[in-house]
Amino acid sequence: MKKILLLLFLLSCFGKTFSQTQKISLNLNTNKNLWQNFTYDLGNMAGGMGYAYSRPLYWKKKQFTHFGYIAAGTTSLYFIDDNVDRWADGWRGDVPRWLVNYGNDVGSPNNNFMLTGAVYLAGLFTENPKLRRTGVLLISSASAAGLMQQITKRIIGRARPKANVGKDVFDPLHFDRVYDYDSFPSGHVMLGFTNAYAIAKQFKSPWVKAGLYTIGSIPGLSRIIDRFHWFSDVAFSTALSIFIVEAVDRFLDNKYDQKYNPIKKNKK
């Protein structure tokens, strides 16, 4: 009887040890997979940025034509920037302040990367491939847009409306930041609309997309109301956001099984 009890005790101990070993092994494998996915995603974030920046090198006649349309449209709006700014004086005070503050806050870099980082980490830790890829798209697109606008606005040096010197005044190549001459393009608009456009890719419903695009346009409205940017700044920044998201998304199509675009669709 004692031998049987001893045998049962040893088997019980062995079972507990085996169970604990399995748990440790599973935890190690899970951590290893998380780390592999994380490092893989980091590489794709950087690769997506590089891919977006390099696209103009591969443009053909059709893409240059589209760029010409955007340049012509921005130039047309440039000629009426002063008129739009004066027209906005009649209704600036009628827009709810909470809405304007939302637009200013959601487009700020700190809040933007808190949002995009939260989406990515949620996808990473829940092992949700669609959410994880969305996070990669958001971070890569926002990083590409943020870096580009920081460099471009210092090269161009356009005066903000609130500087009260007019739409035609520029102080180019000011690499020490002169805040009143950081108007073109708009970082808040690019970050805000980049997020909205990237998230909208998860949905097929045109109504949901339209709703997200509307929300993504609030930073542009806020920046016009508070006279941080001209109308042409906002329009061009919105178009550039779309270009960046599409370029990064096309790059990610070759890196992840989860796709948002028809395989036959050739986006340039």
Side-chain angles (χ1 to χ4, degrees), residues 134-265:
T134 300
V136 174
L137 176 61
L138 285 168
I139 294 175
S140 184
S141 299
S143 299
L147 178 61
M148 180 181 290
Q149 60 89 21
Q150 285 292 335
I151 295 173
T152 305
K153 65 172 50 179
R154 283 163 175 71
I155 293 174
I156 296 174
R158 189 184 189 188
R160 296 182 185 274
K162 66 190 315 175
N164 294 316
V165 294
K167 64 180 176 60
D168 302 317
V169 179
F170 293 82
D171 179 23
L173 302 177
H174 64 278
F175 295 103
D176 54 330
R177 185 173 188 185
V178 182
Y179 187 73
D180 281 345
Y181 289 83
D182 272 358
S183 188
F184 184 89
S186 169
H188 280 68
V189 172
M190 290 181 71
L191 292 179
F193 199 80
T194 292
N195 285 348
Y197 193 81
I199 293 173
K201 280 184 165 290
Q202 292 199 73
F203 303 94
K204 294 182 179 180
S205 169
W207 297 104
V208 175
K209 289 180 180 291
L212 288 168
Y213 297 157
T214 300
I215 295 172
S217 300
I218 295 176
L221 175 65
S222 298
R223 304 309 273 178
I224 290 174
I225 290 173
D226 281 349
R227 304 190 73 214
F228 285 108
H229 292 285
W230 303 96
F231 186 32
S232 58
D233 301 338
V234 171
F236 181 81
S237 301
T238 301
L240 194 57
S241 299
I242 296 171
F243 161 77
I244 290 173
V245 173
E246 289 291 353
V248 174
D249 195 31
R250 186 168 183 252
F251 172 80
L252 296 181
D253 276 346
N254 297 320
K255 300 295 181 179
Y256 295 91
D257 293 332
Q258 178 67 51
K259 294 177 171 53
Y260 302 144
N261 315 287
I263 295 176
K264 295 181 180 179
K265 184 178 180 182

Side-chain angles (χ1 to χ4, degrees), residues 101-119 142 188 191-192 195:
N101 290 338
Y102 166 79
N104 288 326
D105 291 341
V106 77
S108 69
N110 290 341
N111 293 332
N112 178 274
F113 284 104
M114 284 177 61
L115 170 65
T116 57
V119 172
H188 280 68
L191 292 179
N195 285 348

